[in-house]
Amino acid sequence: MESILEQQRKAHEEIERLEQAIVDQFIKETKSHKERLIREHRVSDFLDRISSRSKFLHELYEDTDGARKTEIDALSGTSEFSEFYGRLKAIKDYHRRYPNETVEPLELEFINQSKQNGDDDEIDKLFSGEEGSGRFLDLHALHEQYVNLKNFKKTDYLTYLSEFDHFSDYPKEHKYNGEYLKYLKELKNYLESFFKRVKPLSNLDDIRNEAEREFNEKWAQGKVHGWEKQIGADDDSTDLFCVACKKAYSKKTVYDAHLKSKKHIKSAKSMIEKGITSVDSETYEKLKKEVDEGKDKREKEIAFTEALIQKYAEVLGSQREDTKANVERKRALTDRERRMELETEEVDDVESESEDEDKIYNPLKLPLGWDGKPIPYWLYKLHGLGVEYPCEICGNYVYMGRKAFDRHFQEWRHAHGMRCLGIPNTRHFHEITLIEDAYALWEKLKSTGKTDEFKADTMEEFEDQEGNVFNKKTYDDLKRQGLL
């Protein structure tokens, strides 16, 4: 078993490596929405691990059982050498018993993390096809549930996307229905789930606490939109409260219909069987107060759920607008165009996978060979391709390797540079790379008369029909004499 101090050391090391891994993730540039999402989910996992290890460290430092203090005392007491050799003996005995046990260093985990390619599949599993890797909302099931609610306005899906958080437009008397409460909770749960998947680094609790604080302030002032009339509206009419059913009514007609219902008759009969035929005013007021408090609590719960959904819809505003645009675009497509779009998406996925497979690992920036892969490092060193050869005449262009440097004296860049200097690019200037040296050598050659200026009469060669080679002067003389 590892010692307490060793456990603390490992936890500190893991936290430091996790922090460095997070920095490495943010240094990398993301080119697409999916890459950004993969990075944020990976960083979120790292943060969860840091939190877990920090909690573990806190428990060790608290030392509730005194094990850490005992271990420190044993190491710093009078018998520290015997304690040291005792632990050394225990380690040697362990490795003697398990000589072939493999140990993977902690840093390898984070090195391998950058080479993992399975994160794409994990992200695809988080979202449905309609959500498009977190770019769009998928409210089809909730829209169907909303359409099936009684006494609510029926709308199409596109209108629902624009109005699903317009709760003040809904009739208040129908909001106490159990189906409506179930719909609200499922809508809230979906938006929370979608938010966690799309923005894993954002704190959902902070948004919820902010929404709750704003809601409580407005509720206390009676300014919650859509619930202004219900707040603090106590019905003083004693005729609209049913003692048997413990229920209050706002309309006389509804109350009269309730008195004739089977539910009321059954509740009243149950009271009579218990020997209760009437209640005094104190008991009546107490029952009525309990009902009013229960009603206020229920109203506050419904109103807070609606306010929370509106807050989530505000935070996810960009995804909401993109969803509406996507729905409108798909409506304008024909059946054939939809099939072509699906095929294009499949092709894009295959191409992106092939691009990932074609990425070549080349950290040393070695030149590519004939097969498109980096050449071996020994060949790179053999040819001296890591040695730089700058040439001032070529505009300070740098040639890598001796072979490329020797070849460039006959190439266009160096010839153009010499021509700009007004110096012929002859063999005398081979290995000359500085402009000052080139001018100095040119002046010396002109003073000694060793300039290799081109003379057509002696340097230009001609060949007769039999293959004999003459210079221009000799060839012209023989031709004039009719000998050729």
Side-chain angles (χ1 to χ4, degrees):
M1 180 179 176
E2 292 180 343
S3 64
I4 303 296
L5 296 178
E6 175 61 19
Q7 292 179 36
Q8 288 180 325
R9 186 204 65 77
K10 285 181 65 176
H12 278 295
E13 181 190 0
E14 186 174 353
I15 289 173
E16 290 179 1
R17 292 195 180 278
L18 286 167
E19 290 173 349
Q20 184 58 45
I22 291 174
V23 173
D24 294 339
Q25 288 295 323
F26 280 109
I27 287 175
K28 298 177 183 176
E29 294 184 1
T30 55
K31 299 180 181 178
S32 64
H33 167 79
K34 197 170 186 179
E35 289 181 0
R36 180 191 61 79
L37 208 56
I38 290 172
R39 181 182 68 181
E40 290 191 1
H41 275 275
R42 191 176 289 173
V43 170
S44 178
D45 293 340
F46 289 159
L47 290 173
D48 291 340
R49 287 180 60 181
I50 289 176
S51 177
S52 173
R53 301 311 293 169
S54 300
K55 185 178 179 182
F56 172 71
L57 268 175
H58 180 69
E59 293 174 355
L60 289 179
Y61 278 115
E62 281 188 337
D63 196 21
T64 54
D65 57 354
R68 182 174 181 271
K69 185 177 183 302
T70 304
E71 185 175 335
I72 293 174
D73 292 340
L75 291 172
S76 59
T78 56
S79 58
E80 65 270 14
F81 288 107
S82 59
E83 180 71 19
F84 171 77
Y85 285 112
R87 295 192 179 199
L88 181 61
K89 182 177 180 300
I91 293 172
K92 288 181 177 179
D93 291 341
Y94 178 84
H95 286 287
R96 193 178 296 112
R97 288 195 302 270
Y98 308 101
N100 297 323
E101 183 177 4
T102 57
V103 179
E104 182 175 332
L106 191 62
E107 59 266 23
L108 286 181
E109 176 186 351
F110 300 100
I111 293 174
N112 296 332
Q113 186 79 30
S114 60
K115 300 178 183 178
Q116 289 181 358
N117 297 321
D119 290 333
D120 288 357
D121 297 334
E122 295 298 326
I123 291 297
D124 291 337
K125 291 177 184 177
L126 288 176
F127 299 98
S128 65
E130 192 69 25
E131 288 174 335
S133 297
R135 290 178 296 168
F136 313 117
L137 294 166
D138 184 8
L139 298 177
H140 285 89
L142 291 162
H143 171 246
E144 185 177 350
Q145 191 174 349
Y146 168 77
V147 169
N148 290 324
L149 292 175
K150 295 180 180 178
N151 303 311
F152 282 83
K153 184 177 68 172
K154 312 302 179 187
T155 60
D156 61 349
Y157 183 61
L158 187 59
T159 307
Y160 173 77
L161 287 172
S162 302
E163 301 178 356
F164 71 83
D165 58 341
H166 296 179
F167 298 109
S168 59
D169 299 340
Y170 299 168
K172 303 181 186 69
E173 60 273 13
H174 302 308
K175 289 186 177 182
Y176 306 102
N177 187 359
E179 292 297 322
Y180 178 72
L181 290 176
K182 181 182 177 183
Y183 160 75
L184 279 183
K185 289 180 179 178
E186 291 189 6
L187 178 57
K188 176 180 75 71
N189 292 337
Y190 172 77
L191 293 177
E192 287 179 349
S193 169
F194 185 80
F195 181 87
K196 289 178 181 177
R197 288 176 287 150
V198 172
K199 301 181 178 181
L201 296 182
S202 300
N203 196 333
L204 186 63
D205 292 334
D206 290 345
I207 297 174
R208 188 186 293 111
N209 293 336
E210 182 184 353
E212 186 175 4
R213 178 179 54 78
E214 294 175 356
F215 171 78
N216 288 334
E217 291 177 359
K218 291 181 180 179
W219 184 264
Q221 298 171 6
K223 295 181 180 179
V224 177
H225 191 51
W227 294 90
E228 295 88 349
K229 294 183 179 180
Q230 280 76 7
I231 298 173
D234 296 328
D235 191 359
D236 296 331
S237 177
T238 57
D239 297 335
L240 303 182
F241 180 72
C242 178
V243 177
C245 300
K246 297 180 181 179
K247 193 172 183 180
Y249 294 90
S250 57
K251 293 183 180 180
K252 178 69 174 174
T253 54
V254 179
Y255 177 72
D256 292 339
H258 166 72
L259 294 178
K260 299 176 184 178
S261 64
K262 294 181 180 179
K263 183 178 180 181
H264 172 75
I265 295 171
K266 185 177 180 181
S267 300
K269 186 177 179 181
S270 176
M271 282 185 64
I272 295 172
E273 289 176 353
K274 293 178 181 178
I276 303 173
T277 55
S278 62
V279 294
D280 54 15
S281 59
E282 184 178 351
T283 306
Y284 180 86
E285 290 297 331
K286 184 179 179 181
L287 290 173
K288 190 170 183 299
K289 185 178 179 181
E290 290 178 358
V291 171
D292 290 339
E293 288 177 352
K295 183 180 178 183
D296 289 342
K297 185 178 179 181
R298 188 178 180 85
E299 287 179 352
K300 188 175 181 180
E301 179 186 357
I302 297 171
F304 176 65
T305 306
E306 292 178 348
L308 206 55
I309 291 172
Q310 289 173 336
K311 188 68 175 179
Y312 293 153
E314 179 184 345
V315 175
L316 297 171
S318 60
Q319 285 83 1
R320 183 180 183 178
E321 293 300 321
D322 292 343
T323 305
K324 290 193 288 186
N326 186 51
V327 171
E328 289 180 345
R329 183 183 62 82
K330 285 190 173 181
R331 282 187 175 183
L333 297 177
T334 62
D335 225 16
R336 180 172 171 274
E337 288 173 335
R338 289 194 187 97
R339 287 197 301 271
M340 289 176 63
E341 187 180 58
L342 289 174
E343 292 174 0
T344 305
E345 289 177 358
E346 292 176 0
V347 170
D348 290 341
D349 291 339
V350 172
E351 287 180 353
S352 63
E353 290 176 2
S354 63
E355 286 176 3
D356 292 339
E357 292 174 358
D358 293 341
K359 288 180 180 177
I360 299 172
Y361 183 66
N362 188 15
L364 298 177
K365 308 297 182 184
L366 299 175
L368 301 181
W370 61 271
D371 56 354
K373 296 180 180 179
I375 63 174
Y377 187 67
W378 64 266
L379 188 61
Y380 174 80
K381 297 292 287 184
L382 178 67
H383 290 290
L385 298 179
V387 182
E388 297 181 351
Y389 294 91
C391 180
E392 187 181 7
I393 296 174
C394 296
N396 291 319
Y397 190 85
V398 178
Y399 297 91
M400 304 302 294
R402 183 70 193 185
K403 187 176 180 180
F405 176 72
D406 290 338
R407 190 172 58 243
H408 99 278
F409 289 104
Q410 283 77 43
E411 293 177 347
W412 67 270
R413 184 182 283 109
H414 191 83
H416 175 72
M418 295 292 285
R419 189 162 52 251
C420 292
L421 297 176
I423 302 173
N425 188 24
T426 62
R427 63 178 179 271
H428 298 98
F429 295 91
H430 194 76
E431 300 284 341
I432 302 297
T433 58
L434 298 177
I435 295 175
E436 184 180 355
D437 293 346
Y439 275 128
L441 181 58
W442 175 237
E443 293 297 330
K444 185 178 180 181
L445 290 175
K446 285 196 296 184
S447 62
T448 57
K450 293 184 177 180
T451 56
D452 286 343
E453 296 180 0
F454 179 77
K455 298 178 180 179
D457 291 343
T458 57
M459 292 185 177
E460 195 170 356
E461 295 180 341
F462 289 83
E463 185 177 350
D464 62 3
Q465 294 179 353
E466 297 178 358
N468 299 313
V469 179
F470 309 95
N471 58 35
K472 183 180 180 182
K473 184 179 178 182
T474 306
Y475 181 83
D476 290 341
D477 289 342
L478 292 175
K479 192 174 183 180
R480 276 198 299 270
Q481 297 173 12
L483 298 176
L484 293 180

